[in-house]
Amino acid sequence: MMTFILHGTFLPEIRTFTLWGEQAEPTPRKQGRQAKLTPPPHPFCVPAVQLADWVLTIATHLKPVKRTSQVIWLPSYANLPQPSPELAATGAILTPTSEALTLKQWKIEGVELSASDAIDFLLALEDRHSALMGEDMYFWRQLTLFALSLVSGQQVIPAFSKDGAQLRAIWKPQPTEIEHVTEWIGALPPLSRALVEQPEAAPAPGLVVNGWVEAVIDQTVRQAAGRFATKLLSKPTTPGGKWLRALIGEESLVPLKGAEADQLYKDWQTWVGQSDVAGNAAFRITFRLDAPDDPNNPDDSAWALHYLLQATDDPSLVVTAGQVWREKGKSLGYLHQRFDQPQERLLAALGFAARVFPPIEQSLHSATPDKAVLNTTQAYTFLKESALLLQNSGFRVLLPRWWGGKTARVTAKATVKTPKSASKSLLTMQSLINYEWQVMLGGEPLSREEFERLARLKQPLVQLRGQWVMLDEAQIAAGLKLFGQQDGQLRLDEALRLGLEREGVTAQGVLLAGFDATGWFKTLMNTLRQPDKIAILPLPEGLHAELRPYQVRGYSWLTFMRNYGLGACLADDMGLGKTVTSISAILYERQKLKVKQPVLIVCPTSVMGNWRRELERFAPTLKVLSHHGIERLTGAKFAKAAKTHDMVITSYPLLARDRSLFEAMEWSTIVLDEAQNIKNAATKQAQAARALRGSHRVALTGTPVENRLSELWSIFNFLNPGYLGSEAEFRKQFANPIERTNDKNAAKQLRQLTAPFILRRLKTDPTIISDLPEKLEMKVYCTLTTEQGTLYQAVVNEALEAIEQAEDEGNAMSRRGLVLSMLLKLKQICNHPAQFLKDGTTLEGRSGKLARLTEMLEEVYAAGDRALIFTQFAEMGVLLRDHIRHVYYDEPLWLYGGTPTKDRDAMIQRFQAPKGPSVFILSIKAGGVGLNLTRANHVFHFDRWWNPAVENQATDRAFRIGQTRNVQVHKFICGGTLEDKIDEMIESKKALAESVIGTDESWLTELSTDSLRDLVALRHAEIE
């Protein structure tokens, strides 16, 4: 794995860049501090072929690059150059700390780029994060962008450079920009002058910076103008023509010699010297534009451009042109300021300015010109174009206070009208509601007649209610078009966007500057903007749970969104009870709203058992149908059964596989649990989810955005189809600006649109923490995969036969051993087939427990939390460690009985450190007692010890004195297996658990064979 630190070194005499990279050892994506790092032999050098390939990857239009060897002087240790600070800061390179640094010579390999290709390469680097970029490369990119800004701003002039006795044509910055170029010289990184044979031969900073700025300007102008060269001057004969040809052609050498070349160079120097035509150190010649007092009066409708002298050190000191013409001497003295030859210099300056702004020419017919009289169109041209050109030539320009350089924006205010008596039932995002527009200009509301009068003037500058404003023809046309469509209907999703987005919304090309509503839509908008104003509902009948206040608010919010036909995303942190909140809303809709159609729950296979048990626990009156396993219903039988149940639970894989079954049904509510499973809109399960028909849609997820914003779009396109536009529109308006350029306005706009539909509460919120117990225990029911179920049943059949035989033979000791062996094997199978088979094969996709743990750890990492994972099997701990390494690029800690005491203490210190590892895997025997691990706020019991006291001791590694956060305890159980049955046995006699149940599984060996058979019997409905 190569990490490139890119550098550019510019030598003006060859005008090429040399690029090279730095090599680092691979580091994990997260928690890289655990990786073993060693400095490579040459941390500043990358083989030229690899760098060339990389250059061509990000700038495919570059020509094949030339490989080269160069000598460079770098700060160095005894036998190693000092790595670039940017690379060392990543922790990928370990540098000596005791060795002294000296300047040493190194030979490097790299590639050479022409000035043209170097410009293309630098522009291909979108920002400093598109590669790990060295300070000097960042400097060259910024300097290049500055030089290009001079070209785009027309701040360049044609010039000459002497090449011995000959002239070369070149484009340079305008003299007025030289001071800005100088600012870059002091910022030149030292490394940019290090590519030399000897340090004393390093070029001066000014030579380097000026040379590159001129090279960028010259190259850019030539490329832009080159295609016109042959058409303009195929065979120039005059000196000026030959100079022009050299300025825009491929050959910069001017084909002139002797007197002709000398005269052309002198003429150019005279022309450049006109930069002081606008004044001297004391006074600058100034133009002031005054608007007519009454544009409706034909006798007073002209604009006046006055000629003045303004003191350079005191802008309040102004001398009119009339005073200049009245001056009799050869110099003008005014309040200790002196201006030599004022009349001649004023006339020369006005003559120069007339070339920039021709209307000045008419005033020069007077012997003593003091102003130019302009019509409105000429005044607009002066304001919009000529004023800036005169300023760039050194003149000063005083403009009217109202002038801001921007047109008066045509905007509109939308009013959505919904009568209070109108029904909001059966709403969808495609429902139509009435609206009307109010058009405004510069913030002033206008009637249609006023707007049409201004349009008829066909003037770029008009006076509106005492203020001059600049009009844009396209905006006026858009405003007229909007007036033609003042009233009409909007889809609900369009109206919501108008009300929520607020900024950047347009209608017929007119910017929305205000929004108002009436009736139920006003109530909806106010509540979406302030969700804490939602009315709190009483708990539904039949709910066997006491909801915490934040859960009541969540259930009330879900019901409110359902009433308006709006999809909702409940994005609470893991452990805050999204499931019971959703169940409460489902009970309410069936009781209070009298909904008859069934509810569809779609979740990961590993969570189906958890949903069934939560429903049995919290809403036992609801009839639940599980669509799962090889014996699941199909066709008409499924439709008939679904209609006789309150809820249908299925998995994402089956949603896609049996898509036609689910599409044919009309669901009351569709709930997607762990909705990040549809984050990729192109997958079959995401497509199947969007195709479902239902009155209300709910997404449950703790991570609505995991990697890219397209995931948010996919979830929203399920919840409220079309609300965020098409995927291409969303990518253009939001995803690309936010992800590529960190566009804060786009992020704010997206947040305004989506926040009302997402309810997210964090455990770190004090109002939520106060509602939680100090220790929250929850059981996580997982589903066996087909492979696990097959292995489980085979072991049960074989073991029970052997146990019965031992019992018939009266061999009690042998029977106990067979029972313990069977229990051990079944627990291993429930954990993972790879643990039981010891086959060393792949881990993913084979264990329901591992799949669920992976999903839950995703939220742990996303929230920056810490977790302990307990297992009683050392081999399972190793498998878990390898799996987390592979999936999360993380290096979890692993403590078991064979861990030396010294390493054990070091692990504890590392985990307890402020920036320690996120995950600590522990053997329950080795790590269940005697440790203080209060940095963890999650405890996972991957496999059960079947003794509450032992598990509580392990949990107390995190839940103890020193713990400042609430601890969530997750106990994994494979549904339909002996784990499920034993958990039920423990719960049924929890008060006597510690006295009835021993500290291991030996108590199970005393069960009768029939009891054992019932204990280990596999419920096939629980298999994936």
Side-chain angles (χ1 to χ4, degrees):
M1 173 183 174
M2 294 291 179
T3 300
F4 293 100
I5 305 293
L6 303 177
H7 301 281
T9 297
F10 172 75
L11 297 179
E13 58 268 22
I14 58 174
R15 287 189 183 150
T16 62
F17 266 87
T18 299
L19 311 178
W20 67 93
E22 296 195 357
Q23 183 176 4
E25 290 288 325
T27 55
R29 186 180 65 185
K30 297 180 180 178
Q31 305 298 335
R33 52 191 169 275
Q34 268 70 29
K36 182 179 180 181
L37 303 174
T38 56
H42 298 291
F44 60 91
C45 185
V46 168
V49 63
Q50 295 180 15
L51 182 57
D53 290 343
W54 188 80
V55 169
L56 292 174
T57 298
I58 67 168
T60 54
H61 52 284
L62 295 182
K63 302 172 185 176
V65 293
K66 177 184 177 183
R67 304 173 191 174
T68 183
S69 295
Q70 297 281 354
V71 171
I72 190 168
W73 291 83
L74 298 173
S76 306
Y77 299 105
N79 59 352
L80 181 74
Q82 182 187 32
S84 294
E86 294 80 11
L87 186 60
T90 67
I93 294 292
L94 298 181
T95 59
T97 57
S98 58
E99 294 184 26
L101 286 170
T102 58
L103 199 61
K104 289 187 178 182
Q105 190 179 41
W106 296 87
K107 184 178 181 181
I108 62 169
E109 286 193 355
V111 296
E112 286 189 359
L113 302 178
S114 65
S116 175
D117 285 344
I119 295 170
D120 290 341
F121 170 75
L122 291 168
L123 294 179
L125 299 174
E126 291 185 4
D127 56 39
R128 196 167 187 172
H129 302 292
S130 60
L132 192 55
M133 201 184 306
E135 178 189 12
D136 52 336
M137 180 60 75
Y138 182 67
F139 173 85
W140 287 118
R141 184 174 191 276
Q142 297 304 310
L143 184 61
T144 302
L145 292 174
F146 165 73
L148 292 175
S149 72
L150 296 182
V151 178
S152 63
Q154 301 180 31
Q155 302 303 304
V156 298
I157 60 170
F160 288 106
S161 67
K162 288 291 188 76
D163 186 1
Q166 292 186 302
L167 298 177
R168 287 194 178 274
I170 187 174
W171 293 89
K172 291 186 175 184
Q174 270 203 14
T176 54
E177 296 297 327
I178 295 301
E179 60 182 284
H180 296 134
V181 177
T182 305
E183 294 173 1
W184 289 86
I185 296 175
L188 180 70
L191 187 61
S192 296
R193 303 168 56 225
L195 201 68
V196 290
E197 290 291 338
Q198 296 298 329
E200 56 270 18
L207 179 64
V208 175
V209 171
N210 285 314
W212 180 242
V213 170
E214 291 178 6
V216 173
I217 292 173
D218 188 64
Q219 184 67 38
T220 304
V221 175
R222 286 180 187 278
Q223 286 182 343
R227 60 181 181 274
F228 304 114
T230 53
K231 294 181 180 180
L232 290 175
L233 295 169
S234 56
K235 294 182 179 179
T237 56
T238 64
K242 293 178 180 179
W243 179 35
L244 178 59
R245 176 71 180 212
L247 283 167
I248 61 177
E250 293 183 2
E251 177 54 60
S252 63
L253 193 66
V254 183
L256 292 173
K257 295 181 179 179
E260 261 190 333
D262 292 341
Q263 186 59 47
L264 180 61
Y265 189 72
K266 289 179 181 179
D267 291 343
W268 171 75
Q269 285 183 313
T270 301
W271 175 73
V272 173
Q274 289 182 341
S275 60
D276 63 350
V277 71
N280 63 3
F283 285 95
R284 306 301 290 179
I285 294 170
T286 304
F287 298 94
R288 187 188 72 216
L289 181 66
D290 291 336
D293 293 331
D294 185 4
N296 297 318
N297 182 356
D299 297 329
D300 192 19
S301 61
W303 297 69
L305 183 64
H306 296 278
Y307 309 146
L308 312 166
L309 297 182
Q310 188 179 48
T312 55
D313 60 351
D314 184 2
S316 64
L317 178 56
V318 174
V319 179
T320 66
Q323 291 173 280
V324 172
W325 301 127
R326 290 192 296 272
E327 184 63 38
K328 302 299 183 181
K330 292 186 177 181
S331 65
L332 173 68
Y334 196 84
L335 295 180
H336 309 294
Q337 300 286 352
R338 182 183 180 83
F339 191 54
D340 293 329
Q341 299 178 320
Q343 297 176 355
E344 292 84 349
R345 296 192 69 162
L346 179 58
L347 281 175
L350 293 175
F352 180 90
R355 284 182 267 166
V356 176
F357 185 56
I360 293 177
E361 174 69 28
Q362 183 66 31
S363 70
L364 299 183
H365 295 169
S366 167
T368 57
D370 62 349
K371 66 180 178 181
V373 179
L374 312 176
N375 58 35
T376 300
T377 301
Q378 291 171 329
Y380 172 76
T381 301
F382 182 84
L383 289 167
K384 194 68 176 174
E385 301 173 4
S386 303
L388 181 61
L389 294 175
L390 288 170
Q391 285 176 325
N392 290 338
S393 299
F395 294 95
R396 289 187 177 176
V397 178
L398 304 178
L399 301 178
R401 290 184 178 180
W402 50 263
W403 174 254
K406 295 182 180 179
T407 58
R409 187 80 191 225
V410 176
T411 56
K413 179 181 179 181
T415 301
V416 176
K417 294 189 173 183
T418 52
K420 293 183 180 180
S421 59
S423 173
K424 61 181 184 296
S425 61
L426 302 178
L427 278 175
T428 69
M429 280 293 184
Q430 283 68 47
S431 299
L432 297 176
I433 53 179
N434 298 324
Y435 75 96
E436 66 179 21
W437 294 109
Q438 169 69 62
V439 180
M440 296 176 287
L441 179 64
E444 291 285 341
L446 296 179
S447 66
R448 184 167 187 162
E449 293 72 20
E450 288 178 300
F451 199 86
E452 290 177 343
R453 181 184 64 80
L454 292 176
R456 285 194 299 270
L457 292 176
K458 297 186 182 301
Q459 292 283 356
L461 292 171
V462 298
Q463 199 170 43
L464 174 65
R465 296 172 186 171
Q467 293 290 328
W468 284 92
V469 295
M470 182 168 64
L471 301 183
D472 179 83
E473 185 177 347
Q475 287 196 43
I476 294 297
L480 290 172
K481 187 175 181 180
L482 193 62
F483 265 117
Q485 301 179 7
Q486 271 198 334
D487 304 312
Q489 289 185 317
L490 283 173
R491 293 202 317 266
L492 178 59
D493 61 340
E494 295 174 328
L496 287 172
R497 285 188 65 125
L498 288 177
L500 294 173
E501 194 170 6
R502 303 185 190 180
E503 298 177 8
V505 183
T506 59
Q508 303 293 341
V510 177
L511 182 70
L512 179 69
F515 183 86
D516 200 2
T518 63
W520 61 259
F521 191 77
K522 180 177 182 179
T523 302
L524 172 62
M525 292 304 305
N526 291 340
T527 309
L528 288 177
R529 291 170 183 161
Q530 296 178 297
D532 56 330
K533 302 297 184 183
I534 290 176
I536 299 301
L537 299 176
L539 295 183
E541 296 178 6
L543 179 67
H544 292 199
E546 287 295 329
L547 299 188
R548 299 181 181 90
Y550 73 88
Q551 292 173 327
V552 176
R553 292 194 297 272
Y555 133 70
S556 301
W557 178 77
L558 286 175
T559 304
F560 172 85
M561 299 296 278
R562 189 195 199 289
N563 290 340
Y564 283 92
L566 304 179
C569 177
L570 186 58
D572 288 345
D573 259 357
M574 178 174 63
L576 292 185
K578 294 187 287 291
T579 304
V580 70
T581 302
S582 305
I583 291 173
S584 302
I586 292 169
L587 274 173
Y588 183 89
E589 78 173 34
R590 307 200 78 74
Q591 293 172 5
K592 299 296 183 181
L593 305 181
K594 307 302 181 183
V595 174
K596 299 300 182 183
Q597 293 96 344
V599 173
L600 177 64
I601 305 290
V602 185
C603 59
T605 306
S606 59
V607 184
M608 288 187 64
N610 204 61
W611 266 97
R612 282 193 296 270
R613 283 163 180 79
E614 295 283 86
L615 285 164
E616 290 171 3
R617 177 183 174 189
F618 298 127
T621 60
L622 294 178
K623 295 176 63 179
V624 181
L625 172 65
S626 289
H627 183 74
H628 183 66
I630 58 176
E631 297 180 359
R632 63 186 182 274
L633 299 176
T634 59
K637 291 183 179 179
F638 170 79
K640 182 177 180 180
K643 291 176 182 178
T644 61
H645 286 78
D646 296 298
M647 303 182 71
V648 176
I649 304 176
T650 193
S651 63
Y652 284 103
L654 287 181
L655 176 67
R657 193 178 306 165
D658 297 343
R659 176 173 172 174
S660 59
L661 284 180
F662 298 107
E663 280 187 39
M665 294 288 297
E666 181 71 33
W667 307 96
S668 66
T669 296
I670 303 163
V671 179
L672 299 189
D673 191 14
E674 303 291 354
Q676 64 271 19
N677 280 274
I678 65 162
K679 64 183 180 181
N680 186 344
T683 60
K684 291 183 178 180
Q685 57 196 37
Q687 294 172 1
R690 293 196 297 271
L692 295 171
R693 295 182 298 131
S695 303
H696 186 217
R697 299 184 174 206
V698 176
L700 307 179
T701 175
T703 53
V705 178
E706 291 182 313
N707 298 305
R708 303 184 66 84
L709 284 176
S710 58
E711 300 166 5
L712 181 67
W713 178 87
S714 183
I715 292 175
F716 260 79
N717 207 38
F718 159 75
L719 292 174
N720 298 302
Y723 175 65
L724 292 182
S726 68
E727 188 171 11
E729 291 169 340
F730 179 82
R731 193 182 305 115
K732 179 180 179 181
Q733 185 177 0
F734 297 114
N736 289 346
I738 295 171
E739 293 175 346
R740 295 183 181 180
T741 63
N742 194 26
D743 189 323
K744 294 182 179 179
N745 288 331
K748 178 182 177 183
Q749 193 176 7
L750 180 60
R751 189 162 51 250
Q752 289 172 340
L753 284 175
T754 59
F757 301 90
I758 301 175
L759 184 61
R760 179 157 177 77
R761 277 82 63 88
L762 306 176
K763 296 188 294 290
T764 53
D765 185 345
T767 63
I768 302 302
I769 290 176
S770 63
D771 294 331
L772 287 175
E774 293 180 333
K775 180 171 66 174
L776 179 64
E777 294 190 356
M778 61 196 77
K779 293 173 183 176
V780 180
Y781 290 92
C782 308
T783 305
L784 294 181
T785 63
T786 303
E787 180 187 7
Q788 285 176 296
T790 302
L791 290 173
Y792 187 100
Q793 191 62 59
V795 168
V796 167
N797 293 341
E798 181 181 348
L800 286 179
E801 183 179 347
I803 290 169
E804 287 179 343
Q805 182 177 349
E807 188 174 16
D808 292 341
E809 295 173 354
N811 192 338
M813 185 64 70
S814 174
R815 182 184 182 278
R816 290 191 187 96
L818 289 171
V819 172
L820 291 175
S821 175
M822 176 184 66
L823 296 177
L824 178 67
K825 292 176 181 178
L826 294 180
K827 290 177 73 173
Q828 290 176 335
I829 292 169
C830 288
N831 279 356
H832 201 289
Q835 182 189 355
F836 171 71
L837 297 173
K838 297 178 174 56
D839 54 5
T841 54
T842 181
L843 298 179
E844 293 184 31
R846 301 173 64 192
S847 165
K849 272 190 185 181
L850 189 63
R852 187 61 183 139
L853 178 67
T854 304
E855 293 165 353
M856 297 180 78
L857 283 180
E858 185 73 38
E859 293 194 36
V860 170
Y861 278 111
D865 289 344
R866 306 266 192 100
L868 307 180
I869 304 176
F870 286 102
T871 176
Q872 61 183 288
F873 301 102
E875 61 269 25
M876 193 64 227
V878 173
L879 293 176
L880 289 173
R881 181 192 63 188
D882 294 344
H883 178 72
I884 293 171
R885 278 177 177 171
H886 173 71
V887 174
Y888 297 106
Y889 297 89
D890 192 14
E891 184 64 31
L893 301 175
W894 164 226
L895 174 65
Y896 65 108
T899 304
T901 302
K902 182 179 179 181
D903 293 346
R904 171 190 177 106
D905 295 340
M907 287 181 184
I908 296 170
Q909 290 179 5
R910 287 178 60 194
F911 188 77
Q912 289 293 95
K915 295 185 178 180
S918 296
V919 176
F920 199 159
I921 306 168
L922 307 101
S923 159
I924 201 164
K925 280 188 177 181
V929 294
L931 302 182
N932 187 339
L933 300 172
T934 52
R935 285 285 180 181
N937 60 322
H938 290 270
V939 177
F940 292 90
H941 290 284
F942 190 76
D943 43 57
R944 307 293 300 281
W945 191 256
W946 295 335
N947 182 281
V950 173
E951 287 187 342
N952 288 339
Q953 282 182 335
T955 298
D956 288 346
R957 300 314 96 216
F959 184 61
R960 60 193 298 115
I961 294 175
Q963 178 60 261
T964 58
R965 295 183 293 175
N966 295 280
V967 177
Q968 298 185 59
V969 184
H970 315 276
K971 299 179 179 181
F972 281 31
I973 300 171
C974 279
T977 70
L978 82 161
E979 292 189 338
D980 199 355
K981 299 281 187 64
I982 293 176
D983 181 70
E984 291 176 3
M985 293 172 62
I986 294 174
E987 289 295 326
S988 66
K989 43 191 171 183
K990 200 159 192 175
L992 301 175
E994 294 188 28
S995 60
V996 174
I997 302 173
T999 58
D1000 55 29
E1001 290 92 23
S1002 60
W1003 62 279
L1004 293 168
T1005 64
E1006 305 307 317
L1007 295 176
S1008 68
T1009 302
D1010 288 340
S1011 297
L1012 274 175
R1013 182 177 287 105
D1014 181 65
L1015 177 71
V1016 299
L1018 180 62
R1019 291 199 294 267
H1020 289 276
E1022 305 275 1
I1023 302 175
E1024 183 177 322

